[in-house]
Amino acid sequence: MNRPIRNIAVACLVLFLALIINANYVQFVEADSLNSKNGNRRVINEEFSRDRGSILVDGKPVAESVKSKDEYKFQRKYPDAELYAPLTGYFSYIFGRSAVESTQNDVLSGSDDRLFVNRVVDLVSNKQPKGGSVELTIDPLAQKAASEGLERLGDETKGAVAAIDPRTGAVLAMVTQPSYDPNQLASHDFDKVQAAWKQLTGDADQPMTNRSTESTLPPGSTFKLITAAAALENGVVNNIDDKVKAGSTLKFPGYGYTLPNENGGNCGGNEITFERALNVSCNVAFGGLALEIGQEKLAAQAAKFGFGTDPISGLAASPSRFTTPDTTLEPPQLGQSGIGQYDVAATPLQMAMVAAGIANDGNVMKPYVIDTVRAPNLRVLDKTQPERLSEAVSSTTARKLREMMVSTVTQGTATSAQIPGVEVGAKTGTAQSTPDRPPYAWFVSYAKDGDKEVAVAVLVESSDTARDEIAGGRLAGPIAKSVMQAVLGS
Amino acid sequence: MTTPVWVPRKRRGAELFLTFLAVFIGIAAYASVGLGAEGRIPADTYKLGGALIVVAIATHLIVRRVAPYADPVLLPLVIALNGLGLAMIYRLDLGRQQIDPDRAAFANSQLVWTAVGIAAFAGILIAVRDHRRLQTLTYTFGAAAIGLLILPLIPGVGQTINGARIWVVLFGFSFQPGEAAKVCLAIFFAGYLVVKRDALALAGRRIIGIDLPRGRDLGPILACWLISVGILVFQRDLGSSLLFFGLFVVMLYVATERPGWIVVGGLLFGAGAYFGYAAFGHVRVRFDAWLDPFGDPDRNGQVINGLFGLAHGGILGQGLGQGSPQLTPYSFSDFIAASMGEELGLTGLMAILLIYGLIVERGLRIALTCRDAFGKLLAAGLAFSFALQVFVVVGGVTRLIPLTGLTTPFMAQGGSSVVMNWAIIGLLLRISDQTRRPAPEISTFDSNEETQVVKMS
């Protein structure tokens, strides 16, 4: 009977080999795909139990993990929660993560490939793996100034501020109001998290939307900067002293519609200088210029400033648009588009990029919020290198546009942003949407003082201010000014 | 002239050394569970460890006394598995009670059952001095196997737990008689086949190139097996039916030395599996869960969680007490292999599989070297059923084959399983002791010629 027994021994060997090979397959080959499957509580738990890295602003944490006594070992905390929520995002057991918590998750959780050596060292020394930290580009003073500026308009105010360094694209301030408290979503009391989530997502004011990158609204007269740029670039107007058509209304032959000026006034004559037209935000002049430039060239100019692209990495963002793709605009629509109405929609960040491009000699830099990424031992793993998005206009055109923006501050609609002894250029905007809601107040500006530069866009969607008081210069201008002052340190 | 006699070495010293190693694995596992889950070594580690050492030494001394030539490797292997299993069950108690403090703890009862198992092991070694005596009770064991299998079907005694009616509750203790039936059946098969093997192999008619045994030779064993499997199918115990079928076919093959039995068995298994798939909803569910567990994550939560646990463990494991095996339903019994894979990693799981493999290898080696046909058959049957059981349960948990309910020997929580597996090891050691023992000295007639030859003259 020994022969069958030997055969059985071989059969048993095959069975055990099959088990061992299969175990290798599941635990080694298939492990990664299993770990990334939805509903894998082990991976969520593990991530939650890890000493997650901090998100820092000027060396101080705006998101950090502190030890907790429950089963998850660590609790995510957000000091200054509402101020930095649009940047940090939330880190929730049930609802996942957003913004920098999401895009930098590999580093923060410590699973990034660049932290491989750290993980091995931790494994050998039997230490809990620790995440790396992320330093944001935000200037805390500017962030604070922007937030306080919006708050001064009242609790009901909805709006956003985006400020960037024109030379690098580094985001210096990014504020949205109303904001939310990510601590509520990071709580380990899941019933409370559920309730908070329900309340936040059900809120008509959408506090979890980052208005400066996600909400696209008609930019109104601030879009005239782009129309002006296109006019100069395409030779429609050559100098800022050239005369352009003005008056009180723009007629479109063959159409019943006429384009009026804001408040129905005259721009100061039937022919004024190009510079003056921007200073007083003359709709008739820029509507007419748009017709002369043509849809194609105007759209191309907007695209060069970043319209139609996802402008920022590391945050959720909506692309701004000049018009819906594949649409041919009728002359009245093109005229309206030239002054930032009709179908034009932009985010505050996009408008800040326009001002920044003009301030930076026509070069638009790609905005970014992640300055440096560090390992747990503070070794720098990555430092964002500024990257040029495009050359929007020539440096000559940029210089002319700056001159026009500066004179708008000194003698035009944007006087509220004057800072003594500092070069400040700006453009206001009061955009109409539907008749039943108040217009949006915009303010797009830049400032240069010595080795410091900043470009700011402010949007006030609604506030406690009376309707006829709403104007970009009055409402949004002071906020932009305070942000610029904070950055310049003056 | 006397030829030099080969005397096998007893190797009891080696066994003692390996036993200490195995006990150390168990104690170290227990301590690291406490360290991993609660940050400190459990306070009763020294007490428990001391008790374990005492029990191990006592077991070793019994073997040394009553089975001095027994295989020296089996006992340490089993102690290592049992210790690891206990530590893991304790770890899962902690984990499950972290979720819900009211959940039952199993570690203590498992410890008691382990003690009962070791007692059964020692009892068999002491009571059964020669395994060939079991052969005289062939039909008794056959009847006992069927009786044990029927027990759970008796109203009032049997109990349905999780859809399978394989439990007996007596005096507050629940027990799976199927585990004991397996051993009884193996003894019956071995005893019967030893007697009938020549008739089965040679007598009979040849139909279409196949030698069919006579009905009176195959009949009783076929009947006994059919009844067993019939009962198990009725009780919805898929794993055990498969196990009994495999045991039957392989022992038939070993006894008759005819590979045709394997072929016939394989075909029958295929037909049975197809019938089961077509006729029983619960078989279909298992089969579908095997092919595509993520197709219905709610229903296949257990299999999916087991896979998640294994993946979470990766190559080196989370460390004892530091994974989350408690998230998997029945992580302490059916799915303890997945729990081991999660906390000890691929490395640990492979080590455990190797230990199982070594146990099977030692069992088959005993069968090979055994001098009597009954012992040979019994050892081969027990070793193979052990291998098959490990394959079915670990293969089911790791999605190599569809999941069927069987216990992981020596590790899974469950009293009957632990006790009967210790009993199996007792039987194997008994057979190996007989096998390796030097043949009794036969007094030779020529040793003292003077007294032998009487001169008549």
Side-chain angles (χ1 to χ4, degrees):
Chain A
M1 292 193 280
N2 280 357
R3 237 169 63 91
I5 293 174
R6 281 182 217 282
N7 289 342
I8 285 172
V10 174
C12 290
L13 182 70
V14 171
L15 292 186
F16 276 93
L17 274 179
L19 285 180
I20 287 176
I21 291 168
N22 185 57
N24 275 276
Y25 176 71
V26 173
Q27 296 198 267
F28 180 67
V29 180
E30 218 184 16
D32 279 349
S33 94
L34 284 169
N35 280 337
S36 59
K37 278 243 176 1
N38 282 336
N40 191 335
R41 274 191 60 196
R42 285 178 173 83
V43 175
I44 305 173
N45 282 349
E46 187 183 66
E47 207 177 85
F48 240 66
S49 309
R50 244 189 236 172
D51 190 357
R52 192 174 171 85
S54 300
I55 301 175
L56 304 163
V57 166
D58 203 21
K60 289 202 188 74
V62 292
E64 61 183 329
S65 285
V66 295
K67 281 209 159 79
S68 77
K69 290 206 170 81
D70 56 18
E71 60 175 307
Y72 300 111
K73 299 191 183 92
F74 289 97
Q75 168 72 60
R76 198 66 167 161
K77 280 235 187 307
Y78 299 89
D80 273 331
E82 303 211 340
L83 181 58
Y84 288 101
L87 291 152
T88 60
Y90 54 81
F91 179 66
S92 162
Y93 187 92
I94 313 172
F95 299 107
R97 13 169 220 264
S98 69
V100 172
E101 289 277 32
S102 172
T103 58
Q104 298 296 312
N105 184 51
D106 282 355
V107 169
L108 294 169
S109 69
S111 55
D112 191 276
D113 285 341
R114 290 168 293 187
L115 295 171
F116 178 75
V117 176
N118 293 67
R119 282 205 302 280
V120 172
V121 171
D122 285 343
L123 187 76
V124 172
S125 58
N126 200 23
K127 274 194 294 193
Q128 283 292 315
K130 203 175 179 313
S133 58
V134 170
E135 171 93 37
L136 301 182
T137 54
I138 300 297
D139 175 339
L141 293 175
Q143 183 80 355
K144 219 170 160 125
S147 165
E148 282 172 357
L150 284 173
E151 273 165 29
R152 262 198 303 274
L153 298 178
D155 292 338
E156 297 298 309
T157 305
K158 281 192 276 176
V161 178
I164 49 187
D165 184 328
R167 294 161 301 183
T168 59
V171 174
L172 299 174
M174 186 169 276
V175 165
T176 189
Q177 184 169 324
S179 186
Y180 70 103
D181 183 356
N183 285 308
Q184 292 183 316
L185 300 177
S187 166
H188 293 180
D189 182 337
F190 297 147
D191 290 337
K192 280 190 184 160
V193 173
Q194 292 272 15
W197 178 263
K198 216 173 147 188
Q199 191 251 318
L200 287 172
T201 50
D203 191 330
D205 289 344
Q206 295 177 299
M208 285 204 289
T209 303
N210 182 354
R211 286 165 197 270
S212 51
T213 60
E214 288 175 86
S215 52
T216 53
L217 292 169
S221 301
T222 58
F223 191 81
K224 287 171 185 162
L225 289 172
I226 293 170
T227 309
L232 288 168
E233 284 287 284
N234 292 295
V236 175
V237 179
N238 290 315
N239 280 304
I240 62 173
D241 297 329
D242 287 358
K243 297 280 183 183
V244 293
K245 265 200 287 186
S248 53
T249 53
L250 178 64
K251 293 187 174 65
F252 300 90
Y255 295 89
Y257 174 79
T258 55
L259 180 69
N261 279 316
E262 175 81 9
N263 304 327
N266 189 297
C267 293
N270 288 336
E271 275 205 334
I272 55 174
T273 63
F274 188 41
E275 181 178 22
R276 191 66 197 155
L278 192 81
N279 291 163
V280 298
S281 199
C282 182
N283 286 351
V284 175
F286 282 92
L289 284 171
L291 293 179
E292 278 187 68
I293 297 162
Q295 178 185 346
E296 202 176 306
K297 285 175 178 162
L298 196 51
Q301 185 63 63
K304 280 188 185 171
F305 276 108
F307 277 65
T309 59
D310 189 359
I312 190 167
S313 59
L315 288 174
S318 313
S320 303
R321 66 166 188 263
F322 171 67
T323 185
T324 23
D326 305 321
T327 328
T328 307
L329 297 171
E330 301 280 328
Q333 297 167 342
L334 181 58
Q336 282 191 323
S337 299
I339 61 163
Q341 295 286 164
Y342 190 61
D343 211 12
V344 184
T347 61
L349 177 68
Q350 175 60 65
M351 293 320 291
M353 285 163 71
V354 172
I358 293 166
N360 194 35
D361 281 334
N363 293 312
V364 180
M365 304 301 286
K366 196 167 168 52
Y368 62 94
V369 291
I370 312 296
D371 183 39
T372 47
V373 171
R374 289 171 192 273
N377 61 10
L378 299 182
R379 181 172 56 96
V380 174
L381 296 174
D382 192 18
K383 185 168 170 63
T384 306
Q385 294 303 317
E387 198 185 322
R388 197 174 75 162
L389 187 72
S390 68
E391 190 190 334
V393 291
S394 68
S395 69
T396 327
T397 304
R399 186 172 43 75
K400 290 173 185 167
L401 289 169
R402 279 203 299 275
E403 255 180 79
M404 290 161 73
M405 287 174 78
V406 169
S407 62
T408 306
V409 172
T410 49
Q411 54 201 356
T413 52
T415 48
S416 58
Q418 281 177 353
I419 305 172
V422 175
E423 179 191 335
V424 181
K427 179 73 197 82
T428 57
T430 312
Q432 319 287 339
S433 55
T434 47
D436 60 312
R437 58 150 301 136
Y440 306 116
W442 283 89
F443 199 88
V444 174
S445 58
Y446 78 88
K448 292 188 186 195
D449 186 21
D451 61 343
K452 287 177 176 164
E453 286 188 29
V454 58
V456 189
V458 177
L459 162 70
V460 180
E461 278 180 54
S462 66
S463 63
D464 298 344
T465 316
R467 187 175 178 128
D468 55 359
E469 301 258 307
I470 294 172
R474 191 173 319 168
L475 233 55
I479 300 173
K481 179 183 170 180
S482 65
V483 174
M484 290 189 284
Q485 279 178 313
V487 175
L488 302 177
S490 56
Chain B
M1 258 317 269
T2 52
T3 49
V5 181
W6 176 70
V7 180
R9 293 174 64 189
K10 295 180 186 172
R11 290 224 171 252
R12 293 271 76 83
E15 182 185 64
L16 185 62
F17 172 72
L18 289 175
T19 299
F20 273 121
L21 224 75
V23 169
F24 173 76
I25 288 175
I27 297 170
Y30 183 70
S32 66
V33 161
L35 211 56
E38 299 188 313
R40 58 189 159 78
I41 292 172
D44 57 355
T45 302
Y46 305 101
K47 229 167 58 187
L48 207 74
L52 211 59
I53 291 173
V54 169
V55 170
I57 290 176
T59 315
H60 167 76
L61 287 177
I62 290 170
V63 173
R64 194 180 269 267
R65 176 112 186 87
V66 302
Y69 288 95
D71 186 290
V73 186
L74 269 175
L75 187 63
L77 290 175
V78 167
I79 289 175
L81 284 179
N82 207 148
L84 272 177
L86 277 170
M88 181 53 80
I89 289 167
Y90 170 66
R91 186 262 170 278
L92 288 163
D93 283 347
L94 293 179
R96 285 163 45 250
Q97 287 173 341
Q98 201 176 41
I99 299 170
D100 177 4
D102 294 333
R103 292 204 182 160
F106 294 115
N108 283 331
S109 66
Q110 184 76 356
L111 197 60
V112 172
W113 281 116
T114 301
V116 175
I118 293 175
F121 165 82
I124 284 176
L125 279 185
I126 293 167
V128 185
R129 281 308 174 90
D130 188 339
H131 63 270
R132 283 166 294 193
R133 281 199 204 149
L134 296 172
Q135 198 184 340
T136 59
L137 299 168
T138 296
Y139 290 93
T140 315
F141 276 109
I146 292 176
L148 282 167
L149 285 172
I150 290 174
L151 264 186
L153 294 177
I154 298 170
V157 182
Q159 231 182 20
T160 306
I161 299 175
N162 304 318
R165 197 176 172 87
I166 51 174
W167 296 84
V168 167
V169 177
L170 279 178
F171 315 113
F173 282 102
S174 55
F175 199 81
Q176 273 188 26
E179 292 281 350
K182 182 177 73 187
V183 181
C184 293
L185 216 57
I187 295 173
F188 167 70
F189 286 164
Y192 185 84
L193 289 168
V194 161
V195 178
K196 303 279 184 180
R197 55 189 286 245
D198 290 336
L200 279 170
L202 303 171
R205 270 173 303 186
R206 195 181 177 86
I207 297 172
I208 340 168
I210 302 169
D211 292 317
L212 284 182
R214 287 179 301 187
R216 63 182 137 153
D217 296 326
L218 192 63
I221 194 169
L222 195 65
C224 182
W225 168 71
L226 268 177
I227 292 169
S228 311
V229 172
I231 293 167
L232 290 171
V233 169
F234 198 61
Q235 292 166 341
R236 292 196 164 190
D237 190 355
L238 287 176
S240 297
S241 347
L242 176 63
L243 196 61
F244 284 23
F245 181 74
L247 183 68
F248 174 68
V249 170
V250 161
M251 288 184 79
L252 209 53
Y253 165 58
V254 173
T256 59
E257 301 196 25
R258 292 194 167 200
W261 286 116
I262 299 283
V263 178
V264 173
L267 290 175
L268 279 176
F269 172 75
Y274 179 76
F275 172 75
Y277 181 80
F280 301 119
H282 62 281
V283 179
R284 214 159 30 240
V285 167
R286 294 270 172 94
F287 198 80
D288 292 343
W290 170 59
L291 285 180
D292 179 23
F294 294 99
D296 188 352
D298 288 336
R299 199 178 59 188
N300 306 330
Q302 189 184 27
V303 177
I304 290 173
N305 248 308
L307 290 175
F308 280 169
L310 287 168
H312 193 223
I315 295 176
L316 293 176
Q318 294 289 322
L320 278 169
Q322 292 180 315
S324 321
Q326 69 273 11
L327 293 177
T328 309
Y330 295 97
S331 49
F332 47 88
S333 59
D334 288 17
F335 272 70
I336 199 157
S339 306
M340 291 286 180
E342 178 168 359
E343 301 221 315
L344 298 177
L346 175 62
T347 323
L349 188 61
M350 286 205 288
I352 288 168
L353 288 173
L354 282 178
I355 294 180
Y356 280 123
L358 281 174
I359 292 175
V360 173
E361 185 262 340
R362 297 312 286 196
L364 290 170
R365 176 176 293 240
I366 290 167
L368 272 178
T369 52
C370 185
R371 285 185 292 254
D372 67 289
F374 173 73
K376 236 180 183 20
L377 259 178
L378 184 57
L382 290 176
F384 178 75
S385 74
F386 196 87
L388 192 59
Q389 180 158 1
V390 172
F391 177 75
V392 167
V393 64
V394 178
V397 168
T398 58
R399 207 163 82 88
L400 179 63
I401 55 170
L403 184 67
T404 44
L406 271 181
T407 55
T408 321
F410 296 110
M411 293 206 303
Q413 181 267 336
S416 24
S417 167
V418 168
V419 173
M420 288 325 294
N421 280 308
W422 271 104
I424 289 173
I425 297 301
L427 280 174
L428 285 174
L429 281 197
R430 169 49 68 216
I431 300 170
S432 78
D433 177 51
Q434 290 285 340
T435 305
R436 289 157 47 98
R437 185 176 294 175
E441 293 279 340
I442 301 157
S443 52
T444 45
F445 289 96
D446 59 351
S447 60
N448 197 342
E449 264 177 291
E450 285 90 333
T451 56
Q452 299 260 328
V453 183
V454 178
K455 286 201 168 175
M456 302 297 286
S457 60

